[in-house]
């Protein structure tokens, strides 16, 4: 796995390449170490569920990629966790 850091040494992202291709769960973090975005890659393309979180750690958006394209509904959430908007 590859790990990147902000200039101050806090965690910025984690990801993995296998035989030169993006594979597995990629994660990006806010400077305070809270998770910002998580997406699954397969064969160098976004493929699988993804989630985006606000700075408080609440789920802000979720969806699903298939072969690099949004495949299923994309959902936006209120900080309370209630669904705000659904995009098809």
């Amino acid at each position: 796995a590859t790990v990147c850091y902000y200039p101050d040494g806090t965690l910025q992202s984690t990801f993995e390449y296998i035989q030169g291709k993006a594979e597995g769960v990629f994660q990006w973090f806010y400077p305070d170490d809270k998770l910002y975005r998580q997406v699954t890659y397969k064969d160098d393309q976004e493929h699988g569920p993804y989630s985006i979180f606000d700075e408080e750690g609440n789920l802000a958006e979720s969806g699903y990629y298939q072969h690099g394209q949004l495949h299923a509904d994309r959902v936006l959430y209120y900080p309370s966790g209630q669904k705000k908007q659904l995009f098809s």
Side-chain angles (χ1 to χ4, degrees):
T2 299
V3 179
C4 296
Y5 297 92
Y6 287 104
D8 68 359
T10 57
L11 182 63
Q12 182 181 36
S13 60
T14 62
F15 50 92
E16 186 165 355
Y17 283 88
I18 298 175
Q19 296 180 350
K21 293 184 178 183
E23 290 287 337
V25 177
F26 280 46
Q27 296 180 316
W28 294 266
F29 297 87
Y30 288 105
D32 66 358
D33 287 335
K34 289 183 181 167
L35 184 61
Y36 162 65
R37 185 170 191 258
Q38 179 172 294
V39 64
T40 303
Y41 277 78
K42 182 177 180 183
D43 293 328
D44 220 25
Q45 295 182 334
E46 293 171 317
H47 188 84
Y50 81 91
S51 301
I52 297 175
F53 300 88
D54 66 20
E55 292 184 27
E56 300 301 316
N58 303 305
L59 181 62
E61 182 179 330
S62 67
Y64 191 89
Y65 281 97
Q66 188 168 4
H67 306 291
Q69 302 292 318
L70 277 173
H71 179 68
D73 295 334
R74 183 174 66 135
V75 182
L76 302 181
Y77 298 88
Y78 289 107
S80 66
Q82 287 185 298
K83 290 182 182 178
K84 180 188 331 188
Q85 195 167 5
L86 178 68
F87 295 94
S88 297

